Amino acid sequence: MNGWENFVRRIADMKYRINITGSNSKMLSSEIASTLGGRFVIMNIYPYSFSEYLIANNMTKNYLDVISTKDRADVQNQYNKYVTYGAFPELVEIRNKRAFLSSIYQTVYLGDIITRNKITNNFAIRLILKKIAESVTKPLSYNRLTNILKSSGMSIGKQTVINYVSYMTDSYLLFTLQNYAAKLVEKETSPKYYFMDTGLLGLMLLDCKSAQLENLVAIELMRRYGTENVYFFENNVEIDFYVPLDNLAIQVSMQVLDNIDTRKRETRAFVKLNNFIPNAKCILITNSEEAVIDCDGINIEVIPIWKWLLDN
């Protein structure tokens, strides 16, 4: 309804408290924000955290202190469902989870992206989303996306690509993280993209366990710190996540302890990072492994993802 913000302001002036919900960040455009005149606070609501997910599944123990093999198996089993199908609250009660996820995706894709923005080139949107899904864990520039579309026979300019991607982030389908070590232009034009829910990412790819693991870490870091306080680090060394507020560096890998090459690659990255950012706290998040590693004087905590998610 046009002008709803004028009604809301009038009610707010009468000292009522109003909760306004919406699925698109453009709902609070600059014009609407100006009309409301500082009378509102924005709160982002995310899908379930892992602790919320366990509670929703009637698992209320303190699983950080699990002792029994059964408890550990139970929490690992719930985590596997959590990362595979995502964390939308309704999914807890639904058997056909993939079909429900598809309906959510279609609602966002067709409603909040295609219809809302009057897009006629559906194929370009689908191709961009597919490429972003394939590139989760790696930076992806607007120039790269534009060239991919051109190689598919579409004559689309970079500004149109930028607009399309912004529609995806406005709809809360995607969010971005910037390179802490990059200059301003590169920060803005070559970010990492992540899906707001790992289940939605799973719809886009066949083999995505590793991508879903890193995507889940990104979601949790965003939940804890906000996207404006979470980065990746790339400058002669690649670090998956860096949080300046806590001087926290995080690498993500399915497993490292039994794979010498992977272990060496992930741990040496922390050693290189120390040349740029001394004394960072180093965490290596894995699917299920746990250990403490010393690499050239750098103390690295290897922690399974489910335990890290619960350790708030």
Side-chain angles (χ1 to χ4, degrees), residues 37 55 127 149 180 289:
I55 292 170
L127 192 59
L149 292 176
Y180 185 79
E289 296 172 328

Side-chain angles (χ1 to χ4, degrees), residues 35-47:
T35 300
L36 296 180
R39 290 168 172 77
F40 65 92
V41 174
I42 298 174
M43 179 178 293
N44 291 319
I45 306 298
Y46 302 107

Side-chain angles (χ1 to χ4, degrees), residues 65 85 101 190 234 258 300:
D65 295 327
Y85 298 111
L101 280 170
S190 190
E234 189 171 297
D258 295 330
I300 302 167

Side-chain angles (χ1 to χ4, degrees), residues 219-233:
I219 293 170
E220 183 63 22
L221 287 172
M222 178 184 65
R223 190 197 314 277
R224 295 180 185 185
Y225 296 98
T227 53
E228 69 279 2
N229 294 312
V230 182
Y231 301 84
F232 66 96
F233 189 100

Side-chain angles (χ1 to χ4, degrees), residues 14 40 90 242:
M14 295 168 62
F40 65 92
E90 296 91 336
Y242 177 63

Side-chain angles (χ1 to χ4, degrees), residues 267-281:
T267 56
R268 294 302 299 175
F270 287 127
V271 175
K272 290 182 179 179
L273 178 69
N274 192 59
N275 296 325
F276 300 94
I277 303 175
N279 304 317
K281 180 181 180 182

